[in-house]
Amino acid sequence: MIRVLIADDQPLVRRGLALILGPDPEFEVVGEAEDGARAVALAAELKPDVVVMDIRMPVLDGVKATEELARTLPETRVLALSTFDMDEYVVAALRAGAYGFLPKDVSPEELGAAVRIVHTGEAAVAPRLLTRLISAYVRAPARPRPPVAGVPADLTPRELEIWHLLATGLDNAEIARDLDISVSTVKNHITGIFGKLGVRDRAQAVIAAYESGLVSAAGGSG
């Protein structure tokens, strides 16, 4: 059973999420929090497997709460929620340590599937959706594009090629077809890329590609 804590400042949203997850025998909703500070406190007390975390909340917002949970309870996975899927705060949540994000209008089936994926330690973010999100973040006038940090020197040419394709939205099977290699070879390269970049998952690798200048907001090479 996956123990879930729900954090959202709107009581109706909290109740709706609980009603979606609660009846499923695979989930146990162990608590509800009305702000980020309460979410952190309840997580420390209840030790949930997954926190379904709204991004915009009072007292302590979802990004800062996620950062605190990643630091103090690394075994607790955070699934971030946002009203809009093109929301720069979701990027901040992923950087803070969230394992994925969903827009709030997802179906009950999608929510359940994402909680299961996040619980395994995988990123519950569709590559193309993530790419569009980061493109909007890079273009946002209130948030100027970060300076080019450069590409790690120890990446091999093949790893660089795969990182670029990953960042432009291709999944492992598509990368394998593009490069005429096996999916297992792609997976092995991606594991090496994550290690050299110092990132945890695909979501953070895509963010690193934008921030390094490897790809631009338009999806091309930097």
Side-chain angles (χ1 to χ4, degrees):
M1 184 173 286
I2 301 172
R3 291 163 50 81
V4 181
L5 173 66
I6 296 169
D8 195 291
D9 61 331
Q10 299 181 48
L12 286 177
V13 173
R14 293 198 305 272
R15 183 56 16 208
L17 293 172
L19 288 172
I20 289 171
L21 296 174
D24 190 320
E26 192 172 352
F27 303 122
E28 179 187 5
V29 177
V30 297
E32 299 179 19
E34 68 276 10
D35 59 59
R38 182 64 176 155
V40 171
L42 276 180
E45 176 188 342
L46 301 171
K47 303 295 191 300
D49 299 306
V50 175
V51 178
V52 178
M53 180 86 72
D54 185 24
I55 295 300
R56 297 187 177 110
M57 289 189 292
V59 184
L60 188 70
D61 65 37
V63 172
K64 292 177 181 175
T66 297
E67 190 172 41
E68 181 66 15
L69 289 176
R71 184 180 66 82
T72 60
L73 293 172
E75 296 305 312
T76 295
R77 319 295 192 189
V78 174
L79 174 62
L81 293 183
S82 175
T83 303
F84 305 103
D85 59 16
M86 302 296 285
D87 189 335
E88 67 181 84
Y89 291 107
V90 179
V91 176
L94 293 171
R95 295 178 68 186
Y99 275 73
F101 81 86
L102 291 177
K104 285 187 178 179
D105 60 355
V106 293
S107 69
E109 293 77 17
E110 288 171 318
L111 175 64
V115 172
R116 293 182 188 95
I117 291 169
V118 164
H119 179 243
T120 68
E122 297 294 327
V125 184
R128 287 182 178 82
L129 182 58
L130 179 62
T131 301
R132 291 201 304 270
L133 173 71
I134 297 173
S135 295
Y137 165 76
V138 172
R139 291 193 189 102
R143 295 288 296 268
R145 181 176 178 176
V148 172
V151 174
D154 57 346
L155 283 175
T156 67
R158 177 63 91 186
E159 288 172 337
L160 192 62
E161 190 174 20
I162 290 173
W163 183 26
H164 178 269
L165 292 173
L166 180 157
T168 55
L170 273 63
D171 61 25
N172 290 356
E174 291 169 330
I175 293 172
R177 284 197 298 271
D178 246 36
L179 301 180
D180 196 23
I181 58 179
S182 69
V183 173
S184 62
T185 299
V186 172
K187 289 179 180 177
N188 289 337
H189 279 304
I190 288 176
T191 298
I193 292 166
F194 287 178
K196 291 179 181 180
L197 295 178
V199 301
R200 187 195 59 227
D201 56 32
R202 200 178 197 94
Q204 292 187 348
V206 175
I207 292 170
Y210 278 89
E211 294 189 330
S212 71
L214 180 70
V215 291
S216 67
S221 299

